[in-house]
Amino acid sequence: HSNDTILDTSRTFTIFATESDAFFAENLDSFLAVYAGAEWLGHTQGLINQHVVEGTPTLEHGMELQTLAGGTLQVTVNNEIIQVNNVTIEGPVPAINGILYMIRRVLYPLWYTQ
């Protein structure tokens, strides 16, 4: 999938939107340093697509969501606090073609350990 996919208003998406400060607060250099040139660009796009799920599922404890990047997001619900990959989400905020949740950290793929 490409990033222009989410602009397709005939489809619905759930987007976990990272606050801009989160990208600057975290050490993305270590995550992206192993890639160069076209690989780096593709991997950056993959990291962005790690925050997008096709459809608008109701988030329930134990769910696994497939991202546009091909990764998995694990949902946990505890005392009405919803987390995705151990990151607390806020929302939902309705959007033209889906739902938006705000998060304060980058959703790295589960295989990546910081």
Side-chain angles (χ1 to χ4, degrees):
H1 296 280
S2 66
N3 279 342
D4 59 2
T5 303
I6 62 173
L7 301 177
D8 181 354
T9 57
S10 68
R11 298 165 62 191
T12 59
F13 298 95
T14 298
I15 299 175
F16 299 95
T18 307
E19 296 176 351
S20 61
D21 291 350
F23 274 103
F24 297 109
E26 300 202 30
N27 188 3
L28 289 178
D29 291 340
S30 64
F31 180 71
L32 298 172
V34 295
Y35 300 94
E39 282 186 35
W40 183 87
L41 180 61
H43 203 63
T44 303
Q45 183 176 1
L47 183 60
I48 293 168
N49 284 339
Q50 178 68 12
H51 294 75
V52 181
V53 173
E54 188 155 10
T56 55
T58 300
L59 302 181
E60 298 177 1
H61 184 76
M63 287 181 84
E64 288 191 353
L65 305 172
Q66 185 77 26
T67 70
L68 291 186
T72 302
L73 302 177
Q74 295 177 341
V75 178
T76 55
V77 180
N78 188 4
N79 295 327
E80 298 184 22
I81 296 173
I82 302 173
Q83 292 187 322
V84 176
N85 287 11
N86 298 316
V87 177
T88 301
I89 64 173
E90 298 174 14
V93 176
I96 291 172
N97 63 333
I99 296 175
L100 177 73
Y101 291 97
M102 294 302 299
I103 56 176
R104 292 196 170 103
R105 288 186 39 219
V106 174
L107 294 174
Y108 292 101
L110 292 175
W111 55 261
Y112 178 71
T113 56
Q114 297 178 14

